[in-house]
Amino acid sequence: MLNFFKKNAALIWAKKHVQKAEEFKKNAEKNQEDLLLSLVGTAQKTLFGREHDFENIHSVKEFQERVPIADYEDLKPYIERVKKGQANILWTETPEYFAKTSGTTSGSKYIPISKEGMPFQIAGAQSALFHYISKKGNADFVNGKMIFLQGSPELEEVFGIKTGRLSGIVAHHIPNYLQKNRLPSWETNIMEDWEAKVDKIIEETEKENMTLISGIPPWLIMYFEKLTEKHGKKIKQLFPNLQLIVTGGVNYEPYRDKMEDLLGGTVDIIQTFPASEGFFAFQDDYTKEGLLLLTNHGIFYEFIPLEEYGKPDARRLTLKDIELNKDYALILTTNSGLWAYSIGDVVRFINKNPYRVLVSGRTKHFTSAFGEHVIAFEVEEAMKATLEKYPAQITEFHLAPQVNPTEGLPYHEWLIEFEKEPESLELFTNELDDQLRARNTYYDDLISGNILQKLHITGLKKNAFHEYAKSQGKLGGQNKTPRLANDRKVADLLEIYKL
């Protein structure tokens, strides 16, 4: 009886939520402008607001004239003051949390999450589930066990501000109606050794009625692989009632074939786009690619054409200015005190009514050693098309330039860990090169102009990327090996795993 009530309550809540959501889909452009002016008005008296004349900002144009694009290094002096407990610096109060992320030039980054911002992080995930329930008419999963593969929920304090990984922070805000069915246990969740943690998660879940599993694709694959190795069965055999996988953090498509093989049966997938800085988008249409951009969730968006990113005269576009199928660096202004903040993600709009995006890469993850500026989306789409023509199973890959080969012209080196190699690696290589040339005219020109030779594939041993991540102290957590780079730092470290 209780299960019946939970399922029907979920269906009713979901229907009401989706009906209400139609309003923000239709009024996205106006909502965005109103939101920016509201954020500026709220922060007028902050240190940042006074320094940037917020009092005299009455339009998007005036905001863009007064507030330059910033990265973490630009905002770091303000954040350091916030870390010491000072209020009214970037936002009116001190943050409720700091989401601690691993940085490169900045070391660890402390991303503020305000009292106003945290509810939107939770609402984004809830909205993704409600849209699924409403559109599929399916809420059976609420009665089974759910697992959230995430970072440790154990938080430290920085001058009284709770600090930890975003996924660990979110763990403290899981709705009550999901808490009782949630796994793993607190004791397992706070384990820092990722391999030991996954082993323990398997112990706690392998005999349960699992209906929903959430995590980023590399974590899910690691968990599923260990389960299948232990039991010799596909995941749907072990969890026959598994209905839903919620994933985010990276593009799901390159992992789809591997996931489908491990699952061994049909499971619905919801793709999401969360980050420490906010919850940006989720999949609301399961028949096509693209994630619904959340334009009423406390974040004002700007978009810089990728080819102009980093240039002093780069255009800062808003929703009304964007074009479909172009790549844009994503810029955020949030209700947690991030102002014109470059998050490092690249998006591509595939629909305007409503606004739907694909995450097409990272501003720092590209290959352009020869002027080709190949981005992650092009690489992943080329691989996807190649796999359709010459089937194979790929665990992971990394692309890097080989500028000074021992002989011949320079080339792109693809370091690939195959689960199952194609029948003909030569045909696979040629097709992959052709597919990339079709997607990037600069790369095509370099090949046809005899500046570059065709790409080379270097096969890697099983578990190569797992061992690489482990050797770098980047196993689990929020760490993801970049799919491509403009140098050979990652490639040279992967070389030791060559077949």
Side-chain angles (χ1 to χ4, degrees):
M1 187 65 183
L2 179 60
N3 286 351
F4 177 81
F5 173 77
K6 283 174 68 176
K7 175 185 173 180
N8 280 277
L11 286 166
I12 292 167
W13 292 338
K15 186 175 181 180
K16 289 181 178 178
H17 176 88
V18 171
Q19 287 173 345
K20 190 175 179 182
E22 290 303 314
E23 183 182 343
F24 91 78
K25 294 178 186 179
K26 295 174 182 174
N27 299 294
E29 293 176 18
K30 185 175 188 312
N31 288 347
Q32 279 280 282
E33 187 167 349
D34 291 346
L35 172 61
L36 175 66
L37 297 181
S38 173
L39 295 174
V40 167
T42 300
Q44 273 187 17
K45 303 301 182 184
T46 62
L47 174 62
F48 191 92
R50 296 195 305 272
E51 289 180 353
H52 294 83
D53 193 24
F54 277 15
E55 194 172 354
N56 290 307
I57 292 177
H58 305 291
S59 67
V60 172
K61 184 174 182 293
E62 289 174 349
F63 174 79
Q64 293 174 336
E65 289 170 350
R66 288 168 171 79
V67 181
I69 301 297
D71 59 17
Y72 188 82
E73 284 298 306
D74 295 319
L75 293 184
K76 191 174 181 179
Y78 299 98
I79 291 173
E80 288 301 313
R81 295 180 69 163
V82 176
K83 281 170 64 178
K84 293 175 182 175
Q86 296 181 30
N88 232 34
I89 303 299
L90 286 167
W91 196 242
T92 52
E93 300 174 357
T94 55
E96 186 173 11
Y97 298 100
F98 277 126
K100 189 177 180 181
T101 70
S102 57
T104 49
T105 57
S106 305
S108 293
K109 297 181 180 180
Y110 292 80
I111 305 299
I113 303 177
S114 68
K115 180 176 63 179
E116 295 89 347
M118 192 64 221
F120 284 117
Q121 284 278 9
I122 308 306
Q126 287 178 327
S127 191
L129 287 177
F130 281 146
H131 273 74
Y132 170 81
I133 291 169
S134 177
K135 296 204 172 183
K136 290 279 189 173
N138 174 27
D140 291 341
F141 68 87
V142 301
N143 292 318
K145 295 291 185 180
M146 307 176 196
I147 182 173
F148 299 86
L149 296 172
Q150 58 194 190
S152 171
E154 206 164 33
L155 306 178
E156 59 180 333
E157 288 203 357
V158 175
F159 285 92
I161 301 170
K162 293 176 182 177
T163 301
R165 296 183 184 132
L166 175 67
S167 58
I169 292 169
V170 170
H172 292 268
H173 294 266
I174 300 293
N176 288 334
Y177 67 90
L178 295 180
Q179 282 285 11
K180 291 181 181 178
N181 295 25
R182 178 175 163 241
L183 292 168
S185 65
W186 175 272
E187 292 75 20
T188 296
N189 240 349
I190 64 174
M191 293 173 67
E192 289 294 340
D193 184 313
W194 190 250
E195 287 185 295
K197 181 174 179 173
V198 172
D199 288 338
K200 192 67 178 173
I201 290 172
I202 287 171
E203 283 182 31
E204 293 184 2
T205 59
E206 60 191 343
K207 295 180 181 178
E208 296 288 348
N209 177 31
M210 303 304 304
T211 55
L212 182 152
I213 299 176
S214 175
I216 70 171
W219 303 357
L220 293 169
I221 285 172
M222 183 178 177
Y223 169 60
F224 289 159
E225 282 183 331
K226 288 201 168 196
L227 273 167
T228 55
E229 286 170 12
K230 183 174 181 179
H231 293 280
K233 296 179 180 180
K234 299 289 187 180
I235 299 304
K236 278 291 283 184
Q237 290 178 290
L238 292 169
F239 304 138
N241 296 321
L242 178 61
Q243 297 173 27
L244 185 59
I245 289 175
V246 182
T247 186
V250 295
N251 182 10
Y252 180 75
E253 290 307 315
Y255 299 94
R256 184 180 291 278
D257 288 346
K258 174 76 171 176
M259 288 282 287
E260 288 179 352
D261 180 62
L262 286 166
L263 289 167
T266 302
V267 179
D268 289 332
I269 308 291
I270 300 178
Q271 298 181 56
T272 65
F273 184 13
S276 299
E277 295 83 358
F279 198 110
F280 310 130
F282 63 80
Q283 188 176 10
D284 71 322
D285 186 334
Y286 314 102
T287 64
K288 60 183 74 169
E289 287 189 307
L291 309 180
L292 176 69
L293 188 67
L294 298 175
T295 54
N296 67 336
H297 275 226
I299 300 170
F300 173 75
Y301 301 99
E302 295 176 80
F303 310 93
I304 296 178
L306 188 57
E307 67 273 15
E308 299 178 24
Y309 182 75
K311 296 179 180 179
D313 58 346
R315 291 174 294 156
R316 294 167 62 173
L317 309 180
T318 58
L319 283 178
K320 64 179 176 14
D321 307 309
I322 61 95
E323 297 177 41
L324 297 182
N325 302 311
K326 283 197 64 171
D327 294 301
Y328 296 100
L330 184 61
I331 309 299
L332 312 173
T333 290
T334 77
N335 60 359
S336 290
L338 297 176
W339 301 99
Y341 183 78
S342 176
I343 189 176
D345 283 306
V346 179
V347 298
R348 175 179 296 189
F349 283 88
I350 60 170
N351 199 73
K352 287 187 178 184
N353 185 27
Y355 287 97
R356 290 197 180 95
V357 298
L358 297 173
V359 183
S360 54
R362 297 277 295 169
T363 55
K364 293 182 180 179
H365 293 170
F366 60 90
T367 298
S368 195
F370 314 99
E372 65 275 38
H373 208 89
V374 172
I375 64 171
F377 186 79
E378 293 165 337
V379 164
E380 291 169 351
E381 287 293 293
M383 178 63 80
K384 180 181 176 182
T386 302
L387 288 168
E388 287 173 358
K389 190 167 183 179
Y390 297 103
Q393 284 186 5
I394 287 175
T395 301
E396 191 54 276
F397 67 86
H398 176 79
L399 186 162
Q402 180 53 269
V403 180
N404 297 305
T406 53
E407 59 181 66
L409 295 171
Y411 56 86
H412 283 183
E413 182 180 18
W414 292 60
L415 297 104
I416 302 177
E417 180 186 335
F418 286 101
E419 178 80 13
K420 180 182 177 183
E421 286 196 16
E423 286 188 13
S424 169
L425 189 59
E426 182 181 358
L427 290 175
F428 186 92
T429 301
N430 291 338
E431 181 67 21
L432 185 57
D433 199 73
D434 288 343
Q435 290 291 344
L436 188 57
R437 291 178 69 175
R439 286 164 173 76
N440 187 296
T441 56
Y442 301 108
Y443 178 68
D444 182 52
D445 289 343
L446 290 167
I447 298 290
S448 59
N450 290 318
I451 307 299
L452 295 181
Q453 59 176 302
K454 288 197 294 189
L455 66 85
H456 289 204
I457 289 178
T458 299
L460 300 180
K461 297 174 183 175
K462 185 175 174 60
N463 296 322
F465 282 89
H466 176 92
E467 293 300 322
Y468 160 76
K470 189 175 177 181
S471 72
Q472 300 300 301
K474 293 183 176 181
L475 188 63
Q478 291 173 302
N479 301 298
K480 303 174 283 283
T481 303
R483 281 276 166 81
L484 70 172
N486 204 36
D487 54 42
R488 294 194 58 81
K489 289 177 183 176
V490 175
D492 288 344
L493 291 170
L494 287 169
E495 290 279 347
I496 64 171
Y497 305 106
K498 284 199 301 187
L499 290 170

